[in-house]
Amino acid sequence: PKKNVSWFPQKYKAAQTVFNIDKKCQKISPDGKAKIQLQLLLHTGESTTFHFANGSTALKDRDATKELLQQLLPKFKKKANKELEEKNRMLQEDPVLFQLYKDLVVSQVISAEEFWANRLSLNTVEHSLSNNNKQEVGISAAFLADIRPQTDGCNGLRYNLTSDIIESIFRTYPTVKQKYAENIPHNMTEKEFWTRFFQSHYFHRDRISTGQQDIFSECAKQDEKGLKSMVTQGVKNPMVDLLSLEDKSLDEGYGTATVPTTSNSSNKSLRENSNSAIIKRFNHHSAMVLAAGLRKAEAPSDQASETSSTDGNSRDSDFFQPPLKKVKLQESIEYDDLQGDSGRQTIALNLKKSDRYSHGPIPLQSQHYTTSQDIINSISIIQHEMRNYKPRLTQVMSSNAASSAITALSPGGLLMQGGGQQTINQLVPTDVQSELKHLYTAAGELLRHFWSCFPVNTPFLEEKVVKMKSNLERFQVTKLRPFQEKIQQQYLSTNLTGHLEEMLQAAYSKFQVWQTRRMMRKT
Amino acid sequence: MKLNIDGLLVYFPYDYIYPEQYSYMLELKRTLDAKGHGVLEMPSGTGKTISLLSLIVAYQKAYPLEVTKLVYCSRTVPEIEKVVEELRKLMDYYTKQTEAKNDFLALALSSRKNLCIHPEVSALRFGKEVDGKCHSLTASYIRAQHHSNPSQPVCQFYEEFDAVGRQVPIPPGIYNLDDLKDFGRRKGWCPYFLARYAILHANIVVYSYHYLLDPKIADLVSKELAKKSVVVFDEAHNIDNVCIDSMSVNITRRTLDRCQTNVETLQNTISRIKETDAAKLREEYSRLVEGLKEANVARETDMYLSNPVLPDEILQEAVPGSIRTAEHFVGFMKRFLEYLKARLRIHHVVQESAPQFLKDIYEKVCIDRKPLRFCAERLRSLLRTLEIADIADFSAITLISHFATLVSTYSKGFTIIIEPFEDRTPTIANPVLHFSCMDPSIAIKPVFGRFQSVIITSGTLSPLDIYPRILDFRPVTVASFTMTLARTCLCPLIVGRGNDQVAMTSKFETREDFAVIRNYGNLLLEMSAIVPDGIVAFFTSYIYMENIVASWYEQGILENIQRNKLIFIETQDAAETSMALEKYQEACENGRGAILLSVARGKVSEGIDFVHHYGRAVIMFGVPYVYTQSRILKARLEYLRDQFQIRENDFLTFDAMRHAAQCVGRAIRGKTDYGLMIFADKRYARADKRGKLPRWIQEHLTDGSLNLTIDETVQLGKHFLRQMAQPFRQEDQLGLSLLTLEQLQSEDMLQKIAQIAQQA
């Protein structure tokens, strides 16, 4: 096992640095005991006992160590657990890996650590990648509400901001983030920034913007602009477009509906104005929250994100309109229960080149066409040659060789084995096949470990390559041999393991070469 | 499947059928057989449209001489397009089954804005602009000028259509708006005029109400439709208001000011023409003397609004001498205008009848009734003679002339109300003259008279007997169909109290009560926690919603709601609301969930469906009474009482309940859909309100759900939603609310079906 606890006796005190602790728990000796000891129980079941020997301070040291370890323990426990969980998850999710694990670790060809050493690092990369693709945590629509102002007793208000809330504010209102970037830290402190934020009308949605010196008035204006552009952009779905709903182009003045009052702000009271401002803000806020949630997801689809970042509207305008309209119309007249079960809705396979799909990949051939003239010519040439054919009796084969060549070339013959490939899966029983498959994956894994050591340029790799070679040998003895014997017992004539052995031989010879070269260098 | 509806072979383009659809078709068939009118109520989402189309198309095919045309009127553009798509489905089924080539021509017609393909004109945003620009390129005199002066721009698409489009009939098929545009682009023809022309020989026409109900437009578009047509008004629950709207006029001071400029422009144009082309005016004059009502032969492209009064009211005689010359007419208009200006300069409300108005105008400025009646015609003729290109500019004077003609034509059914200011803002002078129609039967009368069958249908027409009364016609069938359900997918609940037992109501006296507003807020908050995806909440009016939202905001209720769902709110700006609506759907779509606060009688409540997860609950805050203090409404109520013996309260409740039903009905759009319908007002529990809800909602209102507290509502709602969330398969419905052909033919099923239709 790895050295998890490094122990440095330094100066008079024992100070310790803990790198990575893979331990379950610690035990200390009872206070009254003569020996002052600290025992670490590791996950692997081993335990290490430290004996504190520096006399008078021993007890103190031990306690300090204990304290420190106590603090660190839960942290690493979590990490260890996480690793275990991760390993467990990987094994559960990947049956091939699980089989490999069984073949190699359980049967003790290689140790668990060796098995994971290569995998986990590979995995953390993968994992972090998949983490990125994971769903973003959305933004609560009520994040502003979570900032509950509390009175601080002397006519002031306290707002509690968490980093989550700040993140939410920034994601929902990019303009605020921009302001933040502009002003912090050269213009004002962070605290001042947020104080102003809460003071500004921007936070209080019902107030009508007045102050010009307010740094957020610009944000409000931009929001306004964003909202306007959203509105003018119109909607994509024609079914919800209220503007084109009615089919009447009469002038105003007809009808009983109250005449649209010249709805200028002059006509409205202040209260009404603030009310409609609230409504507008709510719509805008919800749209921004929604867009903030979608923005991340859409980020890779390059062009769309540009518009989304500023105005909360996440798509370019009516580029896709006609088909969308058709789809929505069809959707709205669909009665799925009246329809007979005309089969489930399937997703159409989207093929760029359908001929490729139906033919599969074909080897690239040099484009050599023969015209019919060519063919006719060649036929006439052959005919011509045949007419003038004279056997050269001096170079004739012996009849034995000829007949053996014929048998080799006839079906079932030695040279016609290529045609037998189809039959091999009929010849070999399935359990043998699956076992062979497992052997292949296991061998592949081991070989991968082996070959990954080259070029061997560190002592660690040297050590590893030797170990891997012995692993390979062990594999050959414990796994491959029994399998070969089993095949022989089942009198399967075909050489199934030939290729495996070849691969192993290739590895051995490589190892041989490397070893002799190393010996030579040493001497 | 192929159905036998009372001896008629009906092709129905689905493998299964709802029992109520069968029943609906039976009633419809009877109506057509009797060549009479019908009122049919069937819940939305039960395939009303396809039933209608299947039966009428079958009828047309079977008796091509009895029914020559189907005129299908719907309210919104999306609705129109939906109908055409359903029709396409039906026709595809016909071709597949009969393997005969389709010989039906069906098309949608809409305004120029939706049909224009001219690159510059169609780029304009508003319908009015498109109309005006189109007119300036296609008017008959413009085209005449183009002949002598080729640099005068004209619309190539129209020229092309005019040259060849009429000789070659449009091939049979189903043409939606986009198909017409495609066809037009391919041929280089104007789709709008093509459609206008094609409706004359089409088998099926789908367009908006206005093309039939508004005399100004109907005269241009639908004049020549055959008498043997079947007319269907779908979504007809508001048809009376459409009728009234089409005959009413409002005049503000701004209208008069604009009219003033119009008059001046006319005057200048006349004097200019007099110098250059006096013959033209003389010719107009002599034609008017000869009694030709219209001095020039109207071309289809000369898009002046037609006479605002109904055809049978238009005088068939020569224009009176006092307004025959152009100058006299302009002088006449000036006098009329001055009179109106004087009338608007008042400080108190005036209400008078049309005869009173005529008497007053005669006494004050000596204007007779007769020339007033000819005002609209005379102006039309003048505008045409003067070759005014931009008619959109002349909308004000057109409006005034329409008012003149209407007020002098109808002595009954109309009222004039002059208000010096708005009720809400008594300090700001904003005088308006309302000339308002109170009798919806006036506008629709010619439709009933002219066409052999008129079907009025909707999801909410209850109480059924009121429509024949206010529209003044004798239907042969009046029926309401319920929705057969395999599971109760709608859950109407009446919440009458908050948890503090304070009554919840939007009654005028208590609506601003702190406790009521808070309880409404709590209801929404609680529902936002238990209902998945979308919730739509309707308020009784826009102002009320604004107030409530503001106080919810102050009380922190909205913040708490935001923890559960995003909030979107309808505004008075349609573009803004569309945006909010789309975001709302987006939020429902991505699982975040949202609440839409909206207004009954608003555009959202009338035109937008909230299918499936877009609306899992609808909350109706209060009873959506119309603003009862309005004088126009009061006059109308009075008229209804005197003329039709409909009591004020009955009508008000009926009107409120149909809007409430419309609102809550938005959530259920089919049998696989489900949703809560929450009526948040204790007054809904009363029998007179409840009884006016459509039958298909009433049926599911149990006694136990009449006066709930918020807590009880949450409990019931939770239970309902949990049940509904279980998988619902086709097998569950089969035999109950969904039938195969065999099941339909069984004896006891036919008996059951007979009970679905309830005759009023």
Side-chain angles (χ1 to χ4, degrees):
Chain A
K2 253 186 284 176
K3 261 269 180 280
N4 288 323
V5 182
S6 313
W7 181 261
F8 303 99
Q10 264 181 352
K11 291 184 189 169
Y12 303 106
K13 274 187 179 179
Q16 69 285 70
T17 321
V18 181
F19 285 119
N20 186 9
I21 299 189
D22 194 16
K23 67 185 180 329
K24 235 172 17 205
C25 63
Q26 54 179 345
K27 284 181 184 165
I28 54 169
S29 56
D31 275 350
K33 280 267 176 78
K35 276 185 186 170
I36 299 167
Q37 287 179 330
L38 179 84
Q39 194 184 32
L40 297 182
L41 236 78
L42 301 185
H43 266 299
T44 45
E46 296 167 50
S47 68
T48 316
T49 311
F50 297 96
H51 186 195
F52 290 79
N54 42 348
S56 55
T57 56
L59 194 65
K60 224 176 92 193
D61 280 350
R62 204 267 318 261
D63 284 348
T65 320
K66 193 194 79 182
E67 283 288 304
L68 187 67
L69 287 174
Q70 220 156 32
Q71 279 173 18
L72 294 171
L73 204 64
K75 229 175 174 175
F76 286 107
K77 205 173 205 166
K78 229 188 249 164
K79 185 169 184 228
N81 279 345
K82 224 182 192 165
E83 248 176 51
L84 269 179
E85 254 172 45
E86 182 63 30
K87 286 176 186 171
N88 205 2
R89 187 186 62 81
M90 281 172 66
L91 286 181
Q92 274 175 357
E93 281 178 4
D94 190 347
V96 180
L97 192 75
F98 185 59
Q99 185 60 43
L100 206 60
Y101 187 82
K102 273 206 299 202
D103 285 348
L104 296 181
V105 181
V106 179
S107 60
Q108 296 199 327
V109 176
I110 56 173
S111 74
E113 244 178 275
E114 271 173 329
F115 180 77
W116 288 116
N118 215 325
R119 292 249 155 228
L120 268 186
S121 65
L122 220 150
N123 244 312
T124 36
V125 179
E126 253 171 53
H127 195 64
S128 64
L129 259 172
S130 69
N131 240 350
N132 266 350
N133 290 338
K134 250 191 193 161
Q135 271 195 322
E136 274 284 325
V137 177
I139 298 170
S140 159
F143 68 83
L144 284 177
D146 289 331
I147 321 165
R148 287 247 161 259
Q150 295 163 334
T151 45
D152 62 355
C154 46
N155 256 345
L157 286 172
R158 278 174 66 96
Y159 288 96
N160 288 325
L161 269 179
T162 64
S163 57
D164 275 353
I165 294 175
I166 293 178
E167 166 78 11
S168 297
I169 293 175
F170 283 168
R171 275 173 65 190
T172 316
Y173 296 107
T175 49
V176 175
K177 187 175 186 177
Q178 200 187 326
K179 280 279 161 225
Y180 182 86
E182 279 170 19
N183 289 310
I184 308 282
H186 29 284
N187 277 349
M188 57 181 83
T189 64
E190 188 162 355
K191 192 177 166 195
E192 205 179 338
F193 179 84
W194 291 116
T195 312
R196 289 220 200 160
F197 178 78
F198 290 124
Q199 280 168 351
S200 106
H201 74 279
Y202 194 67
F203 177 62
H204 302 278
R205 293 172 242 214
D206 48 339
R207 279 190 217 156
I208 308 299
S209 108
T210 42
Q212 275 301 322
Q213 74 281 16
D214 188 346
I215 56 164
F216 293 103
S217 61
E218 201 183 310
C219 294
K221 260 181 226 149
Q222 285 212 3
D223 279 359
E224 194 80 8
K225 241 180 28 209
L227 191 69
K228 272 226 181 82
S229 81
M230 257 194 268
V231 169
T232 46
Q233 225 174 55
V235 291
K236 273 179 58 193
N237 180 356
M239 308 302 274
V240 299
D241 189 0
L242 295 170
L243 282 175
S244 61
L245 212 55
E246 274 202 61
D247 190 23
K248 185 167 83 167
S249 51
L250 274 186
D251 300 295
E252 55 188 87
Y254 294 97
T256 45
T258 39
V259 200
T261 46
T262 37
S263 53
N264 297 330
S265 47
S266 63
N267 232 346
K268 283 186 170 175
S269 66
L270 190 72
R271 177 163 172 78
E272 275 175 348
N273 249 335
S274 89
N275 283 356
S276 59
I278 292 176
I279 286 179
K280 264 195 182 164
R281 281 308 184 89
F282 264 105
N283 279 341
H284 184 244
H285 177 78
S286 298
M288 290 307 269
V289 169
L290 193 62
L294 295 175
R295 209 172 287 149
K296 281 280 156 59
E298 282 193 356
S301 64
D302 36 44
Q303 10 155 283
S305 56
E306 273 171 43
T307 45
S308 71
S309 55
T310 50
D311 57 8
N313 209 341
S314 37
R315 286 129 329 170
D316 41 355
S317 55
D318 50 10
F319 184 63
F320 291 111
Q321 233 219 325
L324 181 79
K325 187 177 171 185
K326 268 245 156 76
V327 169
K328 291 278 172 194
L329 265 180
Q330 282 305 326
E331 235 169 56
S332 61
I333 64 162
E334 201 77 18
Y335 288 95
D336 40 1
D337 48 349
L338 282 183
Q339 217 98 47
D341 23 44
S342 48
R344 293 188 160 275
Q345 284 266 316
T346 49
I347 296 167
L349 193 57
N350 186 11
L351 293 175
K352 287 215 176 91
K353 287 181 183 164
S354 53
D355 50 332
R356 254 181 159 187
Y357 176 73
S358 42
H359 295 311
I362 38 168
L364 220 63
Q365 279 172 337
S366 57
Q367 302 265 308
H368 190 79
Y369 295 104
T370 41
T371 61
S372 46
Q373 194 56 51
D374 286 343
I375 295 168
I376 293 167
N377 285 348
S378 55
I379 287 173
S380 68
I381 289 170
I382 290 170
Q383 278 174 341
H384 178 75
E385 279 190 351
M386 287 310 283
R387 243 176 267 131
N388 302 332
Y389 174 70
K390 281 189 194 105
R392 274 185 249 166
L393 291 171
T394 49
Q395 282 163 22
V396 167
M397 265 183 186
S398 70
S399 56
N400 263 351
S403 68
S404 77
I406 286 169
T407 40
L409 280 168
S410 49
L414 196 64
L415 289 172
M416 294 303 280
Q417 296 244 312
Q421 255 174 13
Q422 275 100 342
T423 55
I424 204 160
N425 59 9
Q426 291 153 14
L427 274 174
V428 182
T430 43
D431 57 323
V432 178
Q433 279 183 42
S434 71
E435 204 174 333
L436 183 66
K437 247 184 232 164
H438 292 151
L439 278 178
Y440 258 103
T441 42
E445 177 67 14
L446 287 175
L447 286 167
R448 190 172 65 78
H449 278 282
F450 175 81
W451 289 103
S452 72
C453 297
F454 290 95
V456 185
N457 42 21
T458 60
F460 170 71
L461 280 178
E462 263 175 42
E463 200 182 312
K464 190 175 174 186
V465 86
V466 176
K467 210 172 352 157
M468 280 306 153
K469 200 238 164 184
S470 65
N471 280 346
L472 284 175
E473 280 166 351
R474 208 181 311 151
F475 173 76
Q476 200 171 13
V477 174
T478 58
K479 292 266 163 185
L480 199 55
R481 285 283 146 70
F483 181 68
Q484 281 167 328
E485 277 158 25
K486 190 173 156 194
I487 294 174
Q488 272 164 14
Q489 275 167 17
Q490 288 181 334
Y491 46 85
L492 286 166
S493 56
T494 35
N495 186 7
L496 291 172
T497 53
H499 180 243
L500 271 175
E501 274 178 343
E502 267 171 40
M503 289 202 296
L504 289 177
Q505 277 312 320
Y508 293 155
S509 57
K510 175 77 183 176
F511 185 76
Q512 218 67 46
V513 170
W514 172 74
Q515 209 167 29
T516 47
R517 205 175 288 161
R518 194 174 67 143
M519 291 311 228
M520 273 159 69
R521 216 178 300 148
K522 271 191 179 163
T523 53
Chain B
M1 60 171 85
K2 285 183 225 169
L3 301 168
N4 172 8
I5 307 280
D6 197 14
L8 178 72
L9 171 67
V10 173
Y11 285 80
F12 190 73
Y14 292 100
D15 303 331
Y16 301 91
I17 186 169
Y18 298 142
E20 55 268 41
Q21 286 181 315
Y22 181 79
S23 175
Y24 188 90
M25 286 195 251
L26 271 179
E27 292 298 328
L28 189 59
K29 163 99 178 6
R30 272 172 213 157
T31 318
L32 296 188
D33 282 342
K35 293 195 174 27
H37 312 313
V39 178
L40 304 172
E41 180 190 59
M42 184 154 92
S44 46
T46 48
K48 198 171 14 162
T49 309
I50 193 65
S51 317
L52 265 167
L53 293 172
S54 301
L55 189 101
I56 298 178
V57 167
Y59 206 93
Q60 266 178 294
K61 296 220 171 198
Y63 312 105
L65 295 176
E66 302 289 317
V67 172
T68 52
K69 197 190 286 286
L70 164 63
V71 181
Y72 198 110
C73 302
S74 200
R75 291 169 31 123
T76 63
V77 178
E79 290 289 342
I80 288 170
E81 295 192 285
K82 271 197 241 172
V83 173
V84 180
E85 288 311 314
E86 297 215 34
L87 190 58
R88 192 192 310 280
K89 189 172 221 163
L90 176 64
M91 286 311 182
D92 287 348
Y93 184 70
Y94 259 100
T95 12
K96 218 162 78 191
Q97 291 295 313
T98 59
E99 286 172 1
K101 224 174 149 309
N102 172 38
D103 56 350
F104 251 55
L105 174 62
L107 56 95
L109 174 65
S110 180
S111 57
R112 288 175 174 79
K113 182 177 170 270
N114 296 321
L115 280 175
C116 181
I117 53 170
H118 190 283
E120 285 161 40
V121 182
S122 60
L124 294 169
R125 226 179 137 191
F126 296 104
K128 236 165 74 182
E129 295 169 352
V130 176
D131 288 354
K133 186 85 183 151
C134 175
H135 180 256
S136 71
L137 291 176
T138 57
S140 50
Y141 65 90
I142 296 273
R143 299 180 56 226
Q145 281 174 19
H146 177 73
H147 264 291
S148 51
N149 171 21
S151 66
Q152 171 81 37
V154 289
C155 174
Q156 269 317 308
F157 295 101
Y158 180 72
E159 296 303 319
E160 200 67 27
F161 165 72
D162 195 48
V164 285
R166 267 180 273 261
Q167 283 82 35
V168 196
I170 177 168
I174 314 297
Y175 296 89
N176 213 335
L177 298 177
D178 287 335
D179 305 322
L180 281 168
K181 277 160 114 173
D182 283 346
F183 184 76
R185 280 201 195 93
R186 248 183 295 133
K187 294 269 183 183
W189 296 349
C190 172
Y192 173 75
F193 285 104
L194 174 70
R196 284 260 309 260
Y197 176 71
I199 63 168
L200 297 180
H201 57 264
N203 301 85
I204 298 170
V205 181
V206 186
Y207 59 25
S208 131
Y209 279 24
H210 306 285
Y211 290 106
L212 212 51
L213 289 181
D214 191 335
K216 301 183 281 292
I217 310 171
D219 182 53
L220 297 174
V221 179
S222 312
K223 203 175 180 179
E224 287 162 46
L225 295 186
K227 193 190 166 327
K228 287 188 173 174
S229 304
V230 173
V231 176
V232 174
F233 289 106
D234 198 0
E235 303 287 323
H237 46 271
N238 254 344
I239 194 167
D240 52 326
N241 290 332
V242 179
C243 292
I244 284 176
D245 274 357
S246 68
M247 306 286 283
S248 300
V249 170
N250 298 298
I251 296 170
T252 60
R253 195 171 270 165
R254 193 163 147 261
T255 325
L256 295 180
D257 291 342
R258 281 173 53 218
C259 185
Q260 181 76 42
T261 22
N262 289 165
V263 170
E264 278 156 22
T265 325
L266 282 181
Q267 210 161 15
N268 296 338
T269 324
I270 290 169
S271 52
R272 204 183 58 233
I273 287 197
K274 235 179 159 178
E275 288 161 16
T276 56
D277 195 2
K280 205 184 272 172
L281 288 174
R282 269 202 305 279
E283 189 190 338
E284 187 202 19
Y285 179 83
S286 56
R287 279 170 164 277
L288 290 172
V289 174
E290 280 163 29
L292 292 174
K293 192 160 52 70
E294 292 177 16
N296 296 11
V297 186
R299 309 248 173 239
E300 61 175 356
T301 48
D302 298 345
M303 190 215 36
Y304 310 99
L305 288 176
S306 194
N307 203 315
V309 297
L310 298 161
D312 46 348
E313 301 283 354
I314 295 170
L315 292 181
Q316 304 295 331
E317 49 187 288
V319 174
S322 56
I323 56 170
R324 227 176 268 161
T325 69
E327 288 116 320
H328 287 170
F329 177 63
V330 172
F332 175 85
M333 283 311 281
K334 260 178 159 174
R335 238 184 322 147
F336 185 57
L337 191 59
E338 285 311 316
Y339 172 76
L340 287 179
K341 275 186 185 164
R343 290 303 303 266
L344 283 189
R345 242 175 271 130
I346 46 153
H347 300 287
H348 57 276
V349 180
V350 175
Q351 180 174 0
E352 59 190 20
S353 62
Q356 278 172 319
F357 181 87
L358 290 178
K359 187 159 167 265
D360 190 62
I361 197 171
Y362 182 73
E363 283 167 2
K364 296 263 170 63
V365 286
C366 288
I367 288 182
D368 243 341
R369 183 170 172 228
K370 187 104 173 269
L372 275 180
R373 284 187 78 169
F374 280 97
C375 236
E377 290 293 337
R378 184 64 190 91
L379 180 71
R380 231 146 75 95
S381 163
L382 183 66
L383 289 176
R384 216 173 262 150
T385 313
L386 298 182
E387 302 185 349
I388 304 281
D390 200 353
I391 37 129
D393 278 357
F394 286 83
S395 59
I397 195 169
T398 314
L399 182 74
I400 298 287
S401 76
H402 283 171
F403 166 64
T405 303
L406 281 167
V407 76
S408 51
T409 305
Y410 295 100
S411 54
K412 257 182 70 185
F414 289 82
T415 187
I416 295 165
I417 295 168
I418 308 174
E419 289 176 323
F421 46 74
E422 266 181 81
D423 276 351
R424 283 195 297 128
T425 51
T427 49
I428 303 157
N430 180 26
V432 186
L433 184 150
H434 300 284
F435 176 71
S436 129
C437 175
M438 295 180 298
D439 189 347
S441 69
I442 294 175
I444 205 169
K445 200 169 174 212
V447 179
F448 284 125
R450 187 165 142 210
F451 299 107
Q452 68 180 22
S453 277
V454 177
I455 311 294
I456 289 183
T457 187
S458 172
T460 49
L461 285 176
S462 295
L464 286 168
D465 57 324
I466 205 156
Y467 284 89
R469 276 160 83 192
I470 57 177
L471 296 179
D472 193 25
F473 72 105
R474 302 276 149 272
V476 293
T477 12
V478 178
S480 173
F481 305 84
T482 55
M483 172 143 66
T484 54
L485 290 174
R487 60 165 187 181
T488 323
C489 68
L490 53 134
C491 178
L493 300 171
I494 295 174
V495 196
R497 300 164 284 150
N499 290 336
D500 50 6
Q501 302 300 324
V502 177
M504 266 203 271
T505 173
S506 69
K507 209 193 242 171
F508 186 73
E509 299 82 47
T510 57
R511 67 199 302 176
E512 301 294 339
D513 262 14
F514 188 74
V516 171
I517 293 179
R518 193 193 52 225
N519 274 334
Y520 274 164
N522 284 338
L523 174 64
L524 187 61
L525 176 60
E526 299 278 339
M527 295 318 287
S528 75
I530 64 156
V531 177
D533 301 321
I535 300 180
V536 193
F538 289 99
F539 292 85
T540 52
S541 74
Y542 193 78
I543 302 158
Y544 189 50
M545 179 174 79
E546 265 192 352
N547 285 340
I548 284 201
V549 167
S551 49
W552 282 352
Y553 172 63
E554 278 154 23
Q555 293 168 32
I557 292 176
L558 286 183
E559 287 176 356
N560 287 325
I561 292 174
Q562 277 185 320
R563 286 177 213 281
N564 300 328
K565 288 182 191 303
L566 291 174
I567 299 178
F568 293 97
I569 308 173
E570 179 176 359
T571 69
Q572 275 170 321
D573 180 289
E576 245 174 76
T577 310
S578 309
M579 194 273 294
L581 204 55
E582 193 180 47
K583 298 278 167 202
Y584 167 81
Q585 293 200 340
E586 212 171 292
C588 293
E589 198 68 62
N590 75 5
R592 179 145 201 154
I595 291 180
L596 182 74
L597 303 182
S598 181
V599 176
R601 297 166 192 279
K603 282 204 163 133
V604 173
S605 73
E606 288 292 341
I608 307 295
D609 289 343
F610 296 97
V611 287
H612 295 291
H613 57 290
Y614 293 139
R616 283 298 179 217
V618 184
I619 306 176
M620 181 72 237
F621 288 116
V623 184
Y625 279 113
V626 63
Y627 175 59
T628 44
Q629 298 307 302
S630 143
R631 289 183 188 83
I632 302 174
L633 178 76
K634 279 182 179 161
R636 187 175 170 199
L637 289 175
E638 224 165 89
Y639 185 83
L640 285 171
R641 196 188 52 212
D642 296 345
Q643 291 297 314
F644 302 117
Q645 286 77 47
I646 297 171
R647 279 183 304 156
E648 288 179 22
N649 254 333
D650 280 351
F651 182 77
L652 285 175
T653 317
F654 148 74
D655 184 61
M657 295 316 282
R658 69 171 160 182
H659 281 104
Q662 263 305 302
C663 290
V664 295
R666 295 279 129 194
I668 306 284
R669 296 276 129 174
K671 296 189 176 184
T672 51
D673 202 355
Y674 63 89
L676 284 163
M677 300 174 161
I678 296 170
F679 298 92
D681 194 310
K682 66 166 188 184
R683 289 175 291 173
Y684 283 110
R686 285 189 214 147
D688 67 318
K689 309 272 186 309
R690 217 170 2 127
K692 288 194 171 69
L693 284 173
R695 208 175 119 213
W696 57 278
I697 296 179
Q698 247 185 82
E699 276 180 340
H700 300 285
L701 261 175
T702 54
D703 284 342
S705 56
L706 288 186
N707 189 17
L708 304 169
T709 65
I710 294 176
D711 269 352
E712 288 162 347
T713 313
V714 169
Q715 287 315 316
L716 287 171
K718 260 188 189 164
H719 180 72
F720 170 76
L721 290 168
R722 209 174 297 145
Q723 268 187 331
M724 287 300 116
Q726 304 309 313
F728 185 58
R729 289 158 317 218
Q730 199 173 41
E731 300 89 78
D732 302 333
Q733 282 205 67
L734 262 181
L736 288 167
S737 57
L738 189 69
L739 305 176
T740 60
L741 190 57
E742 296 86 69
Q743 284 168 329
L744 183 66
Q745 281 158 345
S746 75
E747 200 53 46
D748 53 325
M749 182 52 75
L750 287 175
Q751 246 163 26
K752 255 189 222 164
I753 287 175
Q755 288 162 10
I756 290 171
Q758 192 186 50
Q759 313 283 332

